[in-house]
Amino acid sequence: MAIRETSAGHEALGLDEDDLRRMHYHMLLARRVDERSWILNRQGKAAFVISCQGQEAAQVGAAYNLLPGNDFLYPYYRDSGMTLLLGQTPRDQFLSLLGKKEDPNSGGRQMPGHYSSRRLNIVTSSAPVGIQYPQAAGTALAYRIRGEDGVVLVCGGEASTSGGDWHEAMNFAGIHDLPLVFLVENNVYAISVHAEFQVAGSIAKRAEGYGFPGHEVDGNDVLAVYEVARDAFGRARAGEGPTLIEAKTYRITAHSSDDDDRRYREREEIEEWRQKDPIVRFEKYLMENDILDESERDEISERIKAEVAEASKYAEDASFADPEDVLSGVYAEA
Amino acid sequence: MAIRETSAGHEALGLDEDDLRRMHYHMLLARRVDERSWILNRQGKAAFVISCQGQEAAQVGAAYNLLPGNDFLYPYYRDSGMTLLLGQTPRDQFLSLLGKKEDPNSGGRQMPGHYSSRRLNIVTSSAPVGIQYPQAAGTALAYRIRGEDGVVLVCGGEASTSGGDWHEAMNFAGIHDLPLVFLVENNVYAISVHAEFQVAGSIAKRAEGYGFPGHEVDGNDVLAVYEVARDAFGRARAGEGPTLIEAKTYRITAHSSDDDDRRYREREEIEEWRQKDPIVRFEKYLMENDILDESERDEISERIKAEVAEASKYAEDASFADPEDVLSGVYAEA
Amino acid sequence: METMNLLQAIHEGLAEEMRSDESVMVLGEDVGRAGGVFRVTQGLQEEFGAARVMDTPLAESLIVGSAIGLSVNGMRPVAEIQFADFIPPAFDQIVNEAAKFHYRSNGDWNCPITIRAPYGVVPGGALYHSQSIEAWFCNTPGLKVVAPTFPADAKAMIKSSIRDPNPVLFLEHKRTYRLIKEEVPDEDHEVPLGEARVHREGADITVVAYGLMLYTALEVAEKLSEEHGIQTEVVEPRTLYPLDKETILDSAKKTGKVLVVSEANLTGSFSGEIAAIVAHEAFEWLDGPVMRLGAPDVPAAAFARPMMDYFMPSAKEIEAAMLELARY
Amino acid sequence: METMNLLQAIHEGLAEEMRSDESVMVLGEDVGRAGGVFRVTQGLQEEFGAARVMDTPLAESLIVGSAIGLSVNGMRPVAEIQFADFIPPAFDQIVNEAAKFHYRSNGDWNCPITIRAPYGVVPGGALYHSQSIEAWFCNTPGLKVVAPTFPADAKAMIKSSIRDPNPVLFLEHKRTYRLIKEEVPDEDHEVPLGEARVHREGADITVVAYGLMLYTALEVAEKLSEEHGIQTEVVEPRTLYPLDKETILDSAKKTGKVLVVSEANLTGSFSGEIAAIVAHEAFEWLDGPVMRLGAPDVPAAAFARPMMDYFMPSAKEIEAAMLELARY
Ligand SMILES: Cc1ncc(C[n+]2csc(CCOP(=O)(O)OP(=O)(O)O)c2C)c(N)n1
Ligand SMILES: Cc1ncc(C[n+]2csc(CCOP(=O)(O)OP(=O)(O)O)c2C)c(N)n1
Ligand SMILES: [Mg+2]
Ligand SMILES: [Mg+2]
């Protein structure tokens, strides 16, 4: 299977310069929020960090197709590029990182990266890897039953395809032509386990066995991801069924702040991938197409920096929920 | 994907007339034991029957490749054609059907069809559909770890591919090139649910996505099944990895004696498939090739009839385990 | 008022909810065309169509997981697990997802799904069509576990379950499906989740039981009353989790003697919880040990009838335990 | 004798068994190259190779299912579940398969597998890296569930578990991995499965506890002895299922006052079983209610430290309960 790369410039994809700027802004924003999170971790303020770094193109490229309010997103823990794009703020991210009361995902109950926003149709997520897939299928099925045109985007790492839930959802999606887009962000590792011990054959190729298309795409190329995802959303909205997208990318950081990746991978490998940084690559594209210049880039960077600093400070100063809050809200009231 | 049919006569497959007679005998034996089981059910003697009828060719054709003592079988509840071929007797089957103490599968503890024989390398089986696949992968892995040439055959109906366990085992088998043959006996129904609501795309085709071959074969053609299975066993023994076989067949009886299939399928459909009866078809082949004539056929039939009658009587007369036996053997002793 | 058995009552409850609320739907294996292996959903697909009464693939995690996702998007799904013994593949979706949806999102999301599962020993069912699985689920805050036994309760409680904004595991004892009939109110007769029922008042001993064992306990209670003048109070939790402790404790304090009976393998069963609550919170009132009766600690009921019968807690054993307690 | 913490002791036990028996192997997520997320298996892949210390795909049903199949074909696998919270996908393979293999085949097959699972609250672990999951598995005849707390016991018991012809679920409290060190005998020091341990004798009250709560209970017992002269007998089940009832009952009969402490959500936890056994079988000896302490009935520990701390049963609460009981 050939890996799909950008087949056309942005105009051919129907994207205008504002679109590109929005994409770029959110990719960079996600990166900076993440970088700041590691600093907070090293300062002993953040107990746990889990990163989006390296995957921003896959995330923003795919999620850019979501119609807010109409579609649902089932993100996984690295998808801050998506949740920021949909409207969560850096402040939200840091509040969650530090487990503060105002954390919109969980009020400080869950680890960082377990996104939730009913307002933004981001479905509450958890830690068991892969468990979201059948749920996403159900959400898509509801659209089908009611004859509505909403689409569901569900995401996971390559290891999230190893468990049964992924397969059960793929099969169900294929049977009922569900309006569901599967995005697998294949970043080569599952904690320490290399994809060669995780995935037999090819993830993207498997879609065919379920009767719907699967695509491998260069996950560090935001426009390429946007394009396959746009087609997938189009198919879904037209009632033609699901699509599987495998975005080939790389996890630039350790698995999390609890992980020491020196145990299992070479520094050179990471360096190689740093050269393929999706943000640098996109900026190159933008500059070559005269959409961005150095000074604009610096200006955006400064703006984000300030925004991130402010957000981090806000979250650091914010208060924890009362300890007794742990007892409340076990059951929903009728 | 083209459905594989017999590509050659039996000589080309390396089968001599004795092989064919053994195959035929066991197919017919399985059928007759099954028919007798329904009579016992109607007489109120057997609480529950679950049938192999229609699937004998798939079962005998595949299992004919097992090297007794060297290979392992994970059968599913319809695979009496296999267990008889491996050396369980009609008496064993009826003892199990009636839940008698001498039932070799479980001593009357399990429902009929839950085969087990440590002596014959038939691994104890249970009711949760699909749960055997990861186990079979583990058994195959042990061969691989020790560098031995044993093969594992694992079987299920088409609905057994819908659950996660099938997928997890497929993936693992592909990663480690396990000596494992997956046989899916696709008999169109899962109780009442038609395959079109059970299986998206094609089961056989999915193997490719895991990096190993999958074949669709006419499951009512014993020689065709034998041939693809022979190749699969050959691959496995040569260290080349797993193979998936989807045998297209049909469940001629209701799901079980508890089921009334008039609720969900037409009599005509069954009639059509009765015309494709794998035993009749094989007998035709044998007769056309002068391996069997009418009188021999009748003689074999009579022999089986007597054998079945004797076995049934033995089991009917046999005693139940003591009621208190239900308490023993919960834990193995060191 | 119509006279119905348990199976019909659950069917009616489902049908009424589906009629009055378009978002209510049923999904599971064989629930559509065939109307369920026990026929609880018979006729529903004809009435409501294949989309709202959907035959799913054989995949329990998918059944419950997609029910969760359906509820996310406005539906009120009732998922059927064909036999409770086959609920383990859905365990993760139930205990880690559905039960935690509300809490983990700090109240942002609800998960209003109902999961029906037939449990309990039935002749011929053997190891994998017999298990009493309630203990697996009664340590999971956020989940409700209900197990009504009588038809009228069951009809009302399936409706309460569907309307509840929380995930509810609805257990149906297979062997009681057709065991008795009773009058079932036509209109909206409500039985809220979380309330135990006192079936029979008595001052001498308390028996707490549900499912098939409740029927047996009620019979034995009658017998003891007639033959020995022993007055038994029989309490049915109806909802196992969260448990109506008050009703049980009130009865324990009144009689001072409590026997808990269930069909589950005794050790580690939910009976332990009930007994522990009584032993702690009614200690001062106790005139005898808190006794329990259950199935022996072997995997499950056997296929062969004599072994199966031996496995089941019998009326005789229950009677002996009740007498022992009464005479304590 | 070397001084080791719990983590090292389990590591040593594994390594020794792998050295003395070629059929022993380890499989799970990140157990190989990385040596486990908690480093319990560190160094094993270097010593025994990638086949005997195998990194599996992220698929818990596969991990346990293939372990079963490995045991069918002559191996003695030790499967690691990275966090006990992620054991649900393997639930079916454990309770319906491994636990029933021997019984259902009427003794024809055994299933000698060990499943290691780190459980319990740890700072930052939050809802999905904190759960105490023992109640899910302590109603399953055919399975053994062990939860040693001290290093020497753990080393001996991991070896007993591997040698046991039955499936064993081996629970390790994450927060105790490095909490204390003690001398661990070099040679084959044996602790058979199924035997409780009395850590401290005392005539006034009995506390039954395991995991982190055991450490706390032991500290409080010391304090109560010093400050109030109250003598507490502390019993650690070590094996939860099947339970060593005798040791617990002996202690209950001696003190007449029993408190069961665990970290699990109280209602429906295994503490209920222990309390129920005492309430039934030691009733005549009881001088006070059988008390229990556990976490509140909310899904699991929270991420934010203040909420997490509030969630945990504290030394203060345990002390208060012990005092209440002693003074009863
Ligand atoms: C069911 C389950 N098993 C194990 C874990 C522990 N765990 C968390 S993330 C992870 C690796 C996931 O890898 P992948 O899906 O490739 O995503 P990535 O982290 O690489 O983005 C593991 C093993 C878990 N969260 N859930
Ligand atoms: C996990 C699980 N769910 C449900 C059942 C109930 N059940 C028994 S057989 C069956 C259908 C199986 O169909 P298939 O795999 O196609 O095999 P067939 O019976 O057609 O040969 C079902 C739903 C079960 N045994 N296990
Ligand atoms: Mg990955
Ligand atoms: Mg079938």
Side-chain angles (χ1 to χ4, degrees), chain A residues 76-78 127-129 157-160 187 189-191 255, chain D residues 29 58 60 82 86:
Chain A
Y76 92 116
Y77 46 80
R78 297 197 193 281
V129 165
E158 80 283 358
S160 75
N187 63 7
Y189 288 91
I191 309 186
H255 172 73
Chain D
E29 296 154 14
L58 200 163
E60 284 76 10
Q82 199 162 81
F86 304 135

Side-chain angles (χ1 to χ4, degrees), chain B residues 72 74 101 103-107 109-110 116-119 121-128 130-143 145-146 148 152 165 168-169 171-172 175-176 325-334, chain D residues 25 27 51-52 54-75 89 92-93 96-111 140-144 163-167 241-242:
Chain B
F72 277 92
Y74 281 84
K101 181 182 172 70
D103 155 31
N105 298 322
S106 74
R109 290 170 176 192
Q110 292 220 72
S116 167
S117 171
R118 182 136 191 189
R119 188 173 56 84
N121 278 5
I122 300 170
V123 183
T124 169
S125 58
S126 62
I131 206 163
Q132 67 275 26
Y133 291 112
Q135 298 170 23
T139 301
L141 178 60
Y143 281 138
I145 291 174
R146 294 195 303 262
E148 294 167 6
V152 178
D165 276 339
E168 296 186 9
N171 186 43
F172 198 51
I175 291 171
H176 293 288
D325 269 17
V326 79
L327 301 183
S328 67
V330 176
Y331 291 95
E333 308 280 322
Chain D
M25 62 175 289
L27 72 167
R52 282 179 69 199
M54 181 174 275
D55 279 325
T56 63
L58 200 163
E60 284 76 10
S61 182
L62 174 77
I63 293 171
V64 175
S66 65
I68 294 171
L70 283 158
S71 83
V72 156
N73 196 356
M75 307 300 285
D92 212 9
Q93 295 285 356
N96 267 338
E97 294 293 300
K100 297 183 172 59
F101 239 57
H102 186 71
Y103 184 83
R104 81 186 188 199
S105 65
N106 204 18
D108 211 17
W109 295 92
N110 291 346
C111 186
T140 298
L143 181 68
K144 297 187 177 182
R163 294 176 193 184
D164 199 282
N166 299 287
Y241 191 89

Side-chain angles (χ1 to χ4, degrees), chain B residues 55 76-78 156-160 185-191 193 195 198 251 255:
Chain B
Q55 301 177 212
Y76 92 115
Y77 46 80
R78 297 199 193 281
E158 80 284 359
S160 75
E185 301 175 36
N186 186 340
N187 63 8
V188 187
Y189 287 92
I191 308 185
V193 180
Q198 188 70 246
R251 195 192 74 205
H255 172 73

Side-chain angles (χ1 to χ4, degrees), chain D residues 69-280:
Chain D
L70 283 158
S71 83
V72 156
N73 196 356
M75 307 300 285
R76 293 251 164 182
V78 181
E80 177 177 308
I81 300 295
Q82 199 162 81
F83 288 85
D85 312 64
F86 304 135
I87 209 168
F91 194 64
D92 212 9
Q93 295 285 356
I94 299 171
V95 304
N96 267 338
E97 294 293 300
K100 297 183 172 59
F101 239 57
H102 186 71
Y103 184 83
R104 81 186 188 199
S105 65
N106 204 18
D108 211 17
W109 295 92
N110 291 346
C111 186
I113 68 171
T114 302
I115 303 161
R116 296 181 38 244
Y119 77 103
V121 174
V122 72
L127 299 184
Y128 293 100
H129 300 77
S130 297
Q131 297 177 62
S132 289
I133 53 109
E134 52 275 24
W136 295 346
F137 294 100
C138 289
N139 189 219
T140 298
L143 181 68
K144 297 187 177 182
V145 181
V146 308
T149 308
F150 279 82
D153 284 344
K155 180 177 166 197
M157 287 175 74
I158 189 73
K159 298 176 77 152
S160 302
S161 299
I162 292 170
R163 294 176 193 184
D164 199 282
N166 299 287
V168 180
L169 177 60
F170 190 94
L171 299 172
E172 306 166 6
H173 195 296
K174 294 190 287 291
R175 212 168 170 185
T176 69
Y177 269 148
R178 296 185 168 84
L179 207 58
I180 65 141
K181 290 194 171 222
E182 70 172 358
E183 296 208 324
V184 173
D186 288 330
E187 327 89 280
D188 264 12
H189 165 61
E190 294 203 16
V191 177
L193 306 187
E195 289 186 11
R197 174 174 169 190
V198 179
H199 279 270
R200 201 179 177 293
E201 309 220 346
D204 298 329
I205 61 172
T206 298
V207 175
V208 182
Y210 52 94
L212 184 66
M213 293 295 105
L214 173 63
Y215 286 122
T216 315
L218 285 168
E219 277 169 25
V220 175
E222 222 41 63
K223 182 162 181 245
L224 256 57
S225 169
E226 283 164 27
E227 297 180 4
H228 304 273
I230 294 168
Q231 299 313 330
T232 305
E233 183 142 309
V234 179
V235 181
E236 180 196 10
R238 293 198 296 199
T239 297
L240 298 180
Y241 191 89
L243 186 68
D244 177 357
K245 296 201 310 190
E246 283 61 43
T247 303
I248 293 169
L249 287 170
D250 285 349
S251 182
K253 290 174 185 174
K254 179 168 139 193
T255 64
K257 293 175 172 180
V258 178
L259 168 68
V260 188
V261 188
S262 96
E263 199 186 296
N265 308 117
L266 185 64
T267 305
S269 67
F270 193 65
S271 297
E273 179 62 30
I274 299 173
I277 288 170
V278 171
H280 186 179

Side-chain angles (χ1 to χ4, degrees), chain C residues 229-301:
Chain C
I230 295 168
Q231 297 315 329
T232 305
E233 184 143 310
V234 178
V235 182
E236 181 196 10
R238 292 196 298 196
T239 296
L240 299 180
Y241 191 90
L243 187 68
D244 177 358
K245 296 201 310 188
E246 284 60 43
T247 303
I248 293 168
L249 286 170
D250 284 350
S251 182
K253 289 174 184 172
K254 176 167 140 193
T255 64
K257 292 175 174 181
V258 178
L259 168 69
V260 188
V261 188
S262 96
E263 199 186 295
N265 308 116
L266 185 64
T267 306
S269 67
F270 193 65
S271 297
E273 179 62 31
I274 299 173
I277 289 170
V278 172
H280 185 179
E281 300 183 39
F283 177 71
E284 290 288 340
W285 290 264
L286 289 183
D287 299 317
V290 188
M291 287 173 67
R292 290 187 300 159
L293 244 178
D297 289 328
V298 312

Side-chain angles (χ1 to χ4, degrees), chain C residues 192-208:
Chain C
L193 306 188
E195 288 188 10
R197 174 174 169 190
V198 177
H199 279 270
R200 200 180 179 291
E201 310 221 346
D204 299 329
I205 61 172
T206 297
V207 175
V208 182

